[in-house]
Amino acid sequence: MTGIHITDIESAINYWRALAPASLEGALATPTRALAEVYAAMVFQHVVEVDEFTLPQAALQAWLAWYDSTPDTPCIAICSTSQGDEECKGCGRTFAEVQHWTALRPAEKRQIWRRITRVGTAWRFNKYAERAIKETPG
């Protein structure tokens, strides 16, 4: 099972709360509500991941919209796998993950992002962190 982690559901909820705030009566926007229902069920059931294939369609579409707002790849253009390393010193992905990145589903990519962020030893998190900063137009 490729799961979507509860922290990603929470991030997606916050994305939609900022994008489409609740009405004055407190009604949540449809994407926020769909994600909040999934989040509440996860908390109630004490689970940290939900199967991407069983996610209600409205929640999946809201999650994918949030996902599209995040950086696609952890690459910082310092690829040590091209030099023979099994794990890239720049981004933290394995050689296989780098090679197959474009074929991975969003939930699979997020699992990899979570792992490399949790480990935090890749240069994108320390030595060359400035390369990982998302540039803003202007």
Side-chain angles (χ1 to χ4, degrees):
M1 169 184 96
T2 301
I4 297 175
H5 198 268
I6 195 166
T7 57
D8 277 359
I9 299 292
E10 185 175 16
S11 293
I13 289 169
N14 290 332
Y15 167 82
W16 281 104
R17 285 179 62 213
L19 198 62
S23 70
L24 292 176
E25 296 80 30
L28 297 175
T30 302
T32 310
R33 186 175 53 251
L35 290 163
E37 289 171 358
V38 170
Y39 185 85
M42 292 174 78
V43 170
F44 182 76
Q45 295 167 6
H46 302 281
V47 296
V48 295
E49 286 188 343
V50 62
D51 185 346
E52 66 177 310
F53 299 112
T54 62
L55 206 58
Q57 192 61 29
L60 179 61
Q61 292 307 313
W63 183 83
L64 286 170
W66 163 78
Y67 170 82
D68 287 342
S69 75
T70 65
D72 177 61
T73 177
C75 182
I76 60 167
I78 300 175
C79 192
S80 69
T81 59
S82 62
Q83 304 301 316
D85 287 346
E86 181 54 35
E87 185 177 283
C88 180
K89 290 180 178 94
C91 70
R93 293 177 293 170
T94 66
F95 179 75
E97 290 166 347
V98 171
Q99 293 299 306
H100 301 291
W101 189 258
T102 58
L104 297 175
R105 295 185 317 277
E108 292 171 319
K109 290 179 180 181
R110 287 300 305 160
Q111 283 189 335
I112 294 166
W113 267 102
R114 280 191 46 252
R115 186 195 77 240
I116 65 171
T117 302
R118 192 173 52 249
V119 172
T121 57
W123 290 348
R124 83 174 333 274
F125 300 110
N126 49 51
K127 190 173 185 177
Y128 296 102
E130 75 280 357
R131 288 184 175 217
I133 297 172
K134 187 176 181 181
E135 292 184 25
T136 55

